[in-house]
Amino acid sequence: MRSSPIPYVTLRRHEREVLSPLKVRRDGRGICYVNEQLPDRDRQGALWVRYVQALDIEGMPVGAPEWPQTHPVRQRRSAQQSLCQVCALSAGCDDGCFFLEVWSGEDDLPVGWPEGHVTTEPPVCPACLPTVAEQRRNLAGTGQAVAVMKAVPRPYGVRGALYSSDPSGRRRVVLEETFGGVVPYSDPRIGWMLASRLALRLTDAHVISVDQTTIRQPVRVLGRQRTTLTVTSTGSEGARTGGGSMSRGTARHRTIVAMRLTAREIAVLEQVALGATRKDAAAALSIRPATFGRHLERIGYKLHVHSRAAKVHAALFHADLTPPKPVVAPWEVSAEERRVWQAVATMSSMAQVASFLRLTESDAREKVRDLMARTRARDEAHLVWLGHTYRVLDTTLVPVPAAAGA
C-alpha cells in the first residue's frame, strides 16, 4: 500500500534553525537581526525565525519527515497565501477555505465556535482533506474527533519566542520565554517576538462536521457527492473491482469516493491523454512545469489512482473527460492485447499490472511496450486514450484505487 503524502509544511530531516544575532531596534520598540533582510518580516511587520529549507528543483521539500514538527517558513507561506498544507496548491475558494481541528466531542465546543477561532493550522484543499483528517485521527486520543470547518482566514498574530532588552544596555536582547500562546498583531509585545507560527482568525466560519466518519467520507462533508465505488480487496493477492472475480484470501471492503476535477485539472489531463511531455503540456497551458506536476499529483489524490494512464481512464470513468470520437481499430485486437490494455487503464502501478496479467513485472512491461509500439502510442496514458478511441476500453471498467492493489 502506498503511504500518504508528506505534507508540504512538515519539517524534514536536516532542516534546522539558522542562528542569527539579534539586537534592539534603533527606535527601541522591538528586536531585529543584525543583518536583517526584507523576507525576515511578514506583511504585518513581525520578525520571523530563519530556517534552512531542503527543496527540490520544483520548490517542494525533500527528505525524511520530522513528525510532528512544522517548518516555520512553509507554515507562514501556506497560512499567509491560503495554500494547502499538504500539496501547496491554492486552498481558497469563493466562500473560504477548509480547516481541521481535533476535539474531544461536540459538547466541548465553545459557544459560537468556530467564529473567531484562532488557529496556527494552515488550510486544506478539498482533495487533501482525507489525508490530513487521517493524520489528525492517528494523533488524536481515544474519544476524540476531527472537526471540519469552512471559514475565511484573516492574519491575527504569531507564536514564537518573546525577547526583551538587556538591562546592561548596548542594544542587547535576552530571551524571556518561549511563548506558547498567540500574540496578536495589535499587542505591543509583537515587536519583541521572534515568530515561528502565523496565527489565523477564522471569520464567516461554520462547522461542517464533528464526526470521525469525516475521515472516511470526505466528500459527504464537502457536500459534493460523486460516484462511489465499493472495492473488495484480498489480503493475499491484490484486488478486484466491479463484476470481476475475487482472488483467494480474506476479503476487505471499503468505499472510495472520487471528487470532481476543476477546469484546469481537466485541461491538464487532456494534455496527458495526448501523450504530451510535462514541458510541452505546461507550455501549451501557459503554466510552469512544476505547476503542471502539482496539478497532476492533485488529480491522483482526487481520483485515488497514481499512474498517468490510470488517471486518464479514471477521469473518463467519472465523466470528467469527454470521451474521444470512436474509430475502428486498424487491426483485429486479440484477447491478450485487450487484457493488457485493460490492465494498464485500471491499475496504478506495473506491479498491479503484472499481478493482473499473472506475469513477472519485466514480462508485463514487455507486453505493454509491444502494445505501445503497435498502436504508436507516445506513452501509457496515450495508449489508454487510444484504447477508448478504438473502443477496446469503455467506462464499464472500474479503476482500481492505488491503495487497494498491493
Side-chain angles (χ1 to χ4, degrees):
M1 180 183 293
R2 179 173 171 172
S3 59
S4 299
I6 302 171
Y8 169 74
V9 299
T10 299
L11 186 71
R12 305 301 181 95
R13 188 172 297 169
H14 307 305
E15 292 183 325
R16 295 294 182 264
E17 181 180 355
V18 178
L19 298 178
S20 302
L22 296 168
K23 65 180 182 179
V24 178
R25 288 164 41 180
R26 289 186 180 275
D27 60 10
R29 296 182 179 178
I31 57 174
C32 65
Y33 285 119
V34 172
N35 58 341
E36 189 167 315
Q37 301 172 9
L38 188 61
D40 290 328
R41 293 189 182 271
D42 59 26
R43 297 170 185 172
Q44 289 73 28
L47 186 66
W48 277 78
V49 64
R50 291 172 172 174
Y51 246 81
V52 173
Q53 290 200 78
L55 305 175
D56 61 19
I57 58 174
E58 296 181 351
M60 295 300 286
V62 294
E66 296 283 352
W67 303 109
Q69 300 180 65
T70 300
H71 194 286
V73 177
R74 294 197 292 272
Q75 187 273 348
R76 168 187 164 187
R77 179 172 181 259
S78 296
Q80 198 166 45
Q81 301 180 24
S82 292
L83 302 180
C84 175
Q85 62 175 271
V86 177
C87 67
L89 294 176
S90 175
C93 55
D94 294 339
D95 55 348
C97 305
F98 290 100
F99 293 85
L100 290 95
E101 292 284 344
V102 175
W103 292 95
S104 60
E106 199 164 357
D107 294 336
D108 295 332
L109 299 179
V111 176
W113 188 89
E115 183 64 30
H117 177 63
V118 176
T119 180
T120 57
E121 286 287 336
V124 185
C125 72
C128 296
L129 263 178
T131 299
V132 181
E134 182 67 25
Q135 292 170 348
R136 294 293 182 276
R137 186 190 66 162
N138 292 338
L139 294 173
T142 304
Q144 292 185 316
V146 176
V148 179
M149 52 196 140
K150 195 168 189 180
V152 176
R154 309 289 185 195
Y156 176 77
V158 299
R159 280 172 49 186
L162 180 63
Y163 286 79
S164 64
S165 60
D166 190 332
S168 64
R170 296 186 182 181
R171 298 177 65 190
R172 293 177 180 173
V173 300
V174 293
L175 176 64
E176 281 199 2
E177 61 176 314
T178 302
F179 204 74
V182 173
V183 175
Y185 284 118
S186 58
D187 193 313
R189 293 176 298 172
I190 195 68
W192 297 95
M193 290 291 292
L194 183 61
S196 58
R197 296 288 186 278
L198 176 62
L200 300 172
R201 185 174 184 271
L202 304 186
T203 63
D204 298 327
H206 59 277
V207 177
I208 295 175
S209 176
V210 185
D211 191 340
Q212 287 190 342
T213 60
T214 299
I215 299 166
R216 300 184 179 85
Q217 298 182 12
V219 178
R220 177 184 64 80
V221 173
L222 299 177
R224 298 174 63 185
Q225 189 66 39
R226 290 298 315 278
T227 305
T228 302
L229 309 179
T230 300
V231 179
T232 305
S233 59
T234 66
S236 57
E237 297 185 16
R240 295 289 185 270
T241 61
S245 60
M246 193 167 70
S247 303
R248 297 187 300 275
T250 304
R252 301 192 303 271
H253 300 275
R254 61 196 185 98
T255 299
I256 297 296
V257 187
M259 298 177 66
R260 187 167 298 282
L261 303 183
T262 65
R264 174 61 78 181
E265 289 164 349
I266 292 171
V268 165
L269 265 189
E270 288 172 345
Q271 293 293 321
V272 171
L274 296 177
T277 64
R278 175 182 290 201
K279 182 178 179 181
D280 291 342
L285 297 174
S286 299
I287 59 177
R288 295 173 57 237
T291 304
F292 178 88
R294 291 175 193 174
H295 278 302
L296 199 56
E297 185 175 8
R298 188 168 179 171
I299 290 168
Y301 296 154
K302 287 187 174 183
L303 300 182
H304 303 277
V305 291
H306 293 158
S307 72
R308 286 188 168 207
K311 289 170 187 175
V312 170
H313 177 70
L316 289 164
F317 175 85
H318 293 294
D320 283 312
L321 274 182
T322 303
K325 183 178 180 180
V327 174
V328 177
W331 81 98
E332 181 149 359
V333 180
S334 68
E336 183 182 32
E337 289 172 331
R338 187 179 299 272
R339 187 168 174 78
V340 172
W341 231 319
Q342 292 174 350
V344 172
T346 58
M347 306 292 170
S348 278
S349 68
M350 189 54 64
Q352 288 180 323
V353 171
S355 177
F356 183 86
L357 298 176
R358 299 184 183 277
L359 298 172
T360 63
E361 284 193 39
S362 59
D363 288 343
R365 194 171 285 108
E366 187 64 31
K367 293 285 186 183
V368 174
R369 279 198 293 261
D370 290 345
L371 186 56
M372 288 174 58
R374 183 160 195 178
T375 59
R376 298 182 180 179
R378 299 183 184 95
D379 57 17
E380 293 177 10
H382 189 213
L383 179 66
V384 169
W385 186 255
L386 291 175
H388 282 272
T389 302
Y390 296 150
R391 294 185 291 189
V392 177
L393 303 175
D394 57 50
T395 54
T396 63
L397 292 169
V398 180
V400 176

